[in-house]
Amino acid sequence: MQHYLNYVDGQWRDASRQLEVINPATDKVFATVARASVEDADAAMAAARRCVSSGALTDVRPAKRTAWMLKAAEAIREIAEEGALILCRENGKNVDTAREEFDEAARYFEYYAGMADKVEGISVPLGKDYIDFTSYIPMGVSVQIVPWNFPVSICARSLAPALAAGNAVVIKSPEVSPLGMVLLIKAIEKAGFPQGAVNLLCGKGSEVGTHLVKHQDTNQIVFTGSVPTGQRILKDAAERATPSVMELGGKSAAIAFADVDLEQLLRSVKVGIFYNSGQVCSAMSRLLVHRSRYEEVKAAVVNLAESLTVGIGESNAELTPVVSKDQQQQILAMIDKAREEGANVLTGGKAADLEGYFVLPTIIEAKDDMSIAQEEVFGPVMVIMPFDNEDQAVAIANGTDFGLVAGVFGENLNQTLRVANRLIAGQVFINEWFAGGIETPFGGVGLSGFGREKGQEAIYSYVQTRNIGIRLKHGV
């Protein structure tokens, strides 16, 4: 059985304790990983601080960071096939989805490589007696806590802009799915970044994660994960007023108007709620349909759900297991609660008769005030409900504590754009769920968090503005 290590101060480091990694498709342990301790976390923070203090990332011309970033992207692509199989086995997702994560990770490094030497300040006119300008200064040591649903991609999403801006980074990987990130860091190690610039720890969030968040050397926190964990981190961060970027949960709604193109909608439903078995913070977890098309769309969505192939990731099934036994049981418990509240489970709603942690594709007809329509499930579960007019649709869509993404489907551009501008969400898709890419800013409002990842905007989360004003003497 293969054993994986942590990466601290340019060295791969074992630990006295270890965590078991289970294949969700088989319910069997297939690897172990060193379980980082508080002492390991201190060593990683010390290494990152030394790197920052030495100027190894910032004294060089920014184009040097560009070169490191491009080398990292190339190295990531070289291990994509090997990494995809490991990620598939530890996470449950299909091989194609796992490979996409490594490809996307490489693209993040390529994209932010292009920005490393373009983070420019401004000159502020104050008259002839002054020269005033701004510059962008790296935050310093960025602590990044990565979730288990897209560990490789989300790790790169924050790591790449942080390095491009000149920060050193300490990453805490998820206990459930840490191995793909080990391969990611092994690839990045080949790029030539200064010692201590990148550190990787796999440990318990309650132990190592909390310690990193409260650490005196932490200059920034980046967290993607659940609302309760994010709230705990923010309370800890408040002690030192540590700047944070928070990408939390969602309960995102798609609105389908009477003139919706059904085939176009169904393509988005398939990817929107069943991609990665619904374990996506920006999943299409609610579908609101104009009453004139409701029965037609409902039947088509149920048929789509029932047509999906359910199986293991290594066979590239369309619906694969969820990441853990706990996750499976939590999803099933929420479905049971929906039934108790009077919701109608149209299809699915139970575990598949297979080895591993499967949940069948589930479509639930519910009222907008039921818990299943208000709370994040994080599984292959969609709530469907009708609406009668535009105002009602907007009210239902905006009627949760979240605000991550939303969607509008219809042929009338005036209507779809008008409604998009009324929706409370950081990103709104029109006629294609997940329209966009690494180039488009991503983040939420409300309980979905704050700050933006992806796109050019993201890099400014990893710097702070410094203003310098100079008083001139004349005639000297």
Side-chain angles (χ1 to χ4, degrees), residues 136-149:
Y136 288 110
I137 309 301
M139 301 296 286
V141 176
S142 176
V143 166
Q144 303 185 353
I145 301 174
V146 178
W148 48 256
N149 59 329

Side-chain angles (χ1 to χ4, degrees), residues 7-287:
Y7 187 68
V8 177
D9 200 16
Q11 302 292 324
W12 291 98
R13 179 169 175 153
D14 207 348
S16 59
R17 298 175 295 174
Q18 63 185 34
L19 295 167
E20 294 181 334
V21 183
I22 297 172
N23 185 334
T26 64
D27 190 28
K28 291 181 173 60
V29 176
F30 79 99
T32 57
V33 63
R35 177 179 167 179
S37 64
V38 167
E39 291 73 25
D40 294 320
D42 284 338
M45 291 299 293
R49 177 55 60 197
R50 283 193 299 272
C51 181
V52 169
S53 299
S54 73
L57 282 164
T58 52
D59 288 352
V60 299
R61 290 180 74 103
K64 182 64 175 177
R65 295 198 298 273
T66 294
W68 291 330
M69 301 280 288
L70 291 174
K71 287 180 180 178
E74 183 179 358
I76 293 167
R77 293 192 189 282
E78 289 173 355
I79 55 94
E81 290 299 325
E82 176 189 1
L85 188 57
I86 290 172
L87 184 56
C88 164
R89 288 174 178 167
E90 68 170 333
N91 194 282
K93 62 184 62 188
N94 69 42
V95 175
D96 286 347
T97 301
R99 189 182 300 107
E100 287 170 5
E101 277 206 53
F102 283 91
D103 290 341
E104 189 167 78
R107 276 289 295 127
Y108 278 118
F109 275 84
E110 290 169 344
Y111 183 83
Y112 289 107
M115 289 199 68
D117 58 354
K118 300 175 185 67
V119 183
E120 302 169 343
I122 61 168
S123 173
V124 182
L126 294 177
K128 70 181 181 64
D129 295 329
Y130 298 92
I131 293 176
D132 192 282
F133 62 92
T134 65
S135 57
Y136 288 110
I137 309 301
M139 301 296 286
V141 176
S142 176
V143 166
Q144 303 185 353
I145 301 174
V146 178
W148 48 256
N149 59 329
F150 294 100
V152 172
S153 174
I154 291 177
C155 177
R157 186 179 77 186
S158 302
L159 177 59
L163 292 171
N167 299 278
V169 183
V170 177
I171 308 158
K172 196 204 84 68
S173 62
E175 306 99 289
V176 174
S177 184
L179 306 184
M181 287 175 60
V182 173
L183 269 72
L184 175 69
I185 301 306
K186 282 185 175 180
I188 293 169
E189 182 184 21
K190 299 176 183 178
F193 285 102
Q195 185 172 334
V198 180
N199 303 271
L200 175 67
L201 302 168
C202 183
K204 291 289 185 179
S206 57
E207 179 187 8
V208 171
T210 298
H211 186 71
L212 291 172
V213 165
K214 293 183 175 182
H215 202 283
Q216 63 182 6
D217 281 322
T218 298
N219 300 122
Q220 181 206 37
I221 299 162
V222 181
F223 172 75
T224 300
S226 71
V227 172
T229 303
Q231 290 170 327
R232 288 195 296 271
I233 289 172
L234 286 172
K235 288 178 182 177
D236 290 338
E239 293 180 13
R240 304 184 64 84
T242 307
S244 304
V245 176
M246 292 276 142
E247 198 268 280
L248 306 177
K251 192 66 180 178
S252 303
I255 298 172
F257 284 107
D259 60 350
V260 64
D261 180 323
L262 181 57
E263 292 305 313
Q264 188 175 54
L265 176 64
L266 290 176
R267 286 194 295 271
S268 280
V269 169
K270 184 176 180 179
V271 69
I273 190 59
F274 300 124
Y275 181 70
N276 204 43
S277 296
Q279 298 167 118
V280 185
C281 53
S282 52
M284 187 198 290
S285 50
R286 294 181 294 154
L287 177 59

